[in-house]
Amino acid sequence: MTEGIITKVAGPLVVAEGMRSANMFDVVHVSDKGLIGEIIEMHGDKASIQVYEETAGLGPGEKVVSTGMPLSVELGPGLIGSIFDGIQRPLKEIMKIAGTNLQRGVSVPSLSREKAWHFTPSKQAGDTVAPGDEVGVVEETPIVRHKIMVPPGVSGKIASIAEGDYTVSQTVYTVESDNGVKELTLMQTWPVRVGRPYKRKLSPDIPLVTGQRVIDTLFPIAKGGVAAVPGPFGSGKTVVQHQLAKWAAADIIVYIGCGERGNEMTDVLNEFPELKDPRTGNSLMERTVLIANTSDMPVAAREASIYTGITIAEYFRDMGYTVALMADSTSRWAEALREMSGRLEEMPGEEGYPAYLGSRLAQFYERAGRVIVNGTEDNEGALSVIGAVSPPGGDISEPVSQATLRIVKVFWGLDSSLAYKRHFPAINWLTSYSLYADSLAEWFNKNVKPDWYKLRGRLMTLLQEEAELEEIVKLVGMDALSAPDRLKLEAARSIREDYLHQNAFHETDTYTSLEKQFMLMDLIVSFYDKSLEAVKNNISIDYIVNMPVREKIGRFKYTAEAECESAYKAILADIENDIKNAESKEEI
């Protein structure tokens, strides 16, 4: 244990000397108050420490004690449904001790040491185990089977194991290894800045289905993929992430509120327990972990919060679960980096951000992926990361947005003008992209319908051509367009208003299955193709635009999933009949 003396205090940065035997990234306790800090720079015996609590009142001469351990998280039963701060302190437990005002130096274990969990073994004494092998389960919530795994670095024969009720600190089983007998508990710890090990990464060729039409159809994300949601204030970043947390095909959700306003995190804390998980009917919190680090909490703790969150997410991935991590927002995290870089007097990069901003972001996002996890059996787990970016004024040319775009494969660009028109999700179809789309095409064509990717291409083409025609309309007016071009505009309007617009608060429209998405796409394209033939046969464009079937197509998205097939066939028949009626009237 190394003990040093504070020589300088500059906001969240504390410099202490006499720390020669300490190591980089060691956790330290600062002053008699026991404030938690982490060594981020060493020069001889001088250590620069970022303190994760308020440093007001600290001064030179006070002591700093190194624990000799890196910043780590406790991983075990009790994570699900919990609300932690940026360094995994349980906020509910702290509130019981300190009241509603978060006090400095309060020390509470991340996982309760009193609560007992019922452990059911899946291995027995004499079995050989390797790192990552499941030795038993704890029913943490009605929908999460918490698998108790052999920690990394431990292998050998199980000497003893027994069913029963245990706290996370009690010995549950013992393993005879080459280094002697290891006593193991329900809990393991892991340093947050080190990615958890796995066997190998898999290619991103399976989609993470979200039920949001603009995402699944136009800009899909793969399981184990990374996406960015940049947009100005009020454009709906948080609502998009809430929808993904609720509807994405993920077993576990880890939601990080990194430097967000207190009222936004309050909304999350109030809404998530009340939201019903659509797959089980239980509370969404029964498969969610929340990391709450609001803008009025110490700025340095933001820097740790996304590492804390992604380490917890990796732990559940190692169980073979599909995990979705929402980071809201990485811009606030980058501001914490900028603050600490300035305090360390480092050479600033663009707009004052540190020169290593891009590499730090890359280190975070590269921990996502679909992998074969550690263990004797080849089990698959996936960790998808969706990071919100809050560029000032929506200007994505700023450094955080640009560094993020160089790393992520999916860009859902939110548009304030769409948000003001109440178009949700306000994802701009002309500026967004997904680099997973081509690799996922085979899956969609095979598992949904063979024409999926072809129809998606038709939608994208119509939207692109609409943007070009809009320029002409602004110059010379609608009357200057030919009938086929007017029809093209109408088809694109149908795509925008009937397909891409989705009501997050409508019980049916909030989620659309892939089969229903295909049917709605097919109806819009079929109407366009049949109408184009009719226009070429000199049928009036005004008559076609006002056909009753258009309203039926628009209302199809509100059709219950069970009735979709019959409604789809009926509307296809109505398209044929309305076109035939138009042709017969034209002949008369």
Side-chain angles (χ1 to χ4, degrees), residues 187-208:
M187 176 184 77
Q188 48 181 279
T189 58
W190 190 261
V192 297
R193 296 183 188 276
V194 179
R196 284 178 63 85
Y198 52 83
K199 282 186 183 173
R200 65 180 185 276
K201 252 184 183 171
L202 302 172
S203 60
D205 50 18
I206 298 175
L208 181 71

Side-chain angles (χ1 to χ4, degrees), residues 548-560:
V549 76
R550 290 203 70 200
E551 188 177 341
K552 293 178 184 175
I553 294 171
R555 291 190 175 279
F556 179 78
K557 62 183 178 182
Y558 301 118
T559 306

Side-chain angles (χ1 to χ4, degrees), residues 264-415:
E264 287 197 12
M265 276 316 295
T266 304
D267 284 345
V268 173
L269 300 181
N270 287 335
E271 284 175 19
F272 272 39
E274 292 176 10
L275 285 174
K276 289 284 182 285
D277 183 350
R279 289 185 289 176
T280 62
N282 295 358
S283 166
L284 189 63
M285 280 301 287
E286 290 185 2
R287 60 182 181 95
T288 302
V289 182
L290 289 178
I291 312 289
N293 185 266
T294 57
S295 53
D296 61 343
M297 288 181 178
V299 70
R302 292 184 201 174
E303 203 267 334
S305 64
I306 67 166
Y307 294 111
T308 299
I310 202 160
T311 307
I312 292 170
E314 284 177 331
Y315 174 64
F316 285 106
R317 175 209 69 192
D318 290 348
M319 295 182 196
Y321 287 126
T322 297
V323 186
L325 180 138
M326 317 288 165
D328 188 12
S329 84
T330 53
S331 294
R332 310 274 183 267
W333 170 79
E335 284 169 10
L337 279 186
R338 179 167 62 182
E339 164 98 1
M340 293 311 299
S341 176
R343 301 280 186 188
L344 290 167
E345 299 175 5
E346 294 173 336
M347 182 68 76
E350 193 179 351
E351 291 190 25
Y353 288 102
Y356 47 78
L357 171 67
S359 63
R360 287 285 177 88
L361 275 168
Q363 284 168 11
F364 168 66
Y365 280 111
E366 75 175 0
R367 289 170 72 170
R370 189 166 67 95
V371 302
I372 298 296
V373 298
N374 275 351
T376 309
E377 298 176 9
D378 279 355
N379 293 323
E380 189 181 300
L383 168 54
S384 310
V385 176
I386 295 139
V389 186
S390 311
D395 175 20
I396 62 165
S397 65
E398 56 88 41
V400 183
S401 301
Q402 288 302 306
T404 304
L405 290 183
R406 284 194 288 271
I407 300 158
V408 301
K409 301 290 190 292
V410 180
F411 171 71
W412 297 321
L414 297 178
D415 192 323

Side-chain angles (χ1 to χ4, degrees), residues 146-304:
H146 193 114
K147 300 174 186 177
I148 305 304
M149 300 172 292
V150 179
V154 176
S155 60
K157 275 189 179 176
I158 295 178
S160 65
I161 189 168
E163 183 172 355
D165 293 339
Y166 300 91
T167 65
V168 294
S169 56
Q170 289 176 319
T171 301
V172 177
Y173 64 106
T174 57
V175 173
E176 289 179 2
S177 68
D178 296 338
N179 301 323
V181 176
K182 300 268 187 188
E183 295 186 346
L184 298 166
T185 64
L186 298 177
M187 176 184 77
Q188 48 181 279
T189 58
W190 190 261
V192 297
R193 296 183 188 276
V194 179
R196 284 178 63 85
Y198 52 83
K199 282 186 183 173
R200 65 180 185 276
K201 252 184 183 171
L202 302 172
S203 60
D205 50 18
I206 298 175
L208 181 71
V209 179
T210 66
Q212 310 306 299
R213 292 187 291 271
V214 66
I215 292 174
D216 289 341
T217 303
L218 300 188
F219 313 112
I221 178 173
K223 266 189 186 175
V226 288
V229 193
F233 175 77
S235 58
K237 294 185 293 296
T238 304
V239 188
V240 167
Q241 291 201 318
H242 285 200
Q243 278 293 91
L244 295 176
K246 186 177 181 184
W247 292 107
D251 304 307
I252 307 289
I253 302 296
V254 178
Y255 192 98
I256 308 169
C258 177
E260 284 302 291
R261 284 167 287 279
N263 60 336
E264 287 197 12
M265 276 316 295
T266 304
D267 284 345
V268 173
L269 300 181
N270 287 335
E271 284 175 19
F272 272 39
E274 292 176 10
L275 285 174
K276 289 284 182 285
D277 183 350
R279 289 185 289 176
T280 62
N282 295 358
S283 166
L284 189 63
M285 280 301 287
E286 290 185 2
R287 60 182 181 95
T288 302
V289 182
L290 289 178
I291 312 289
N293 185 266
T294 57
S295 53
D296 61 343
M297 288 181 178
V299 70
R302 292 184 201 174
E303 203 267 334

Side-chain angles (χ1 to χ4, degrees), residues 12 27 63 264 468 510:
V27 171
K63 68 175 182 179
E264 287 197 12
E468 293 165 7
T510 185

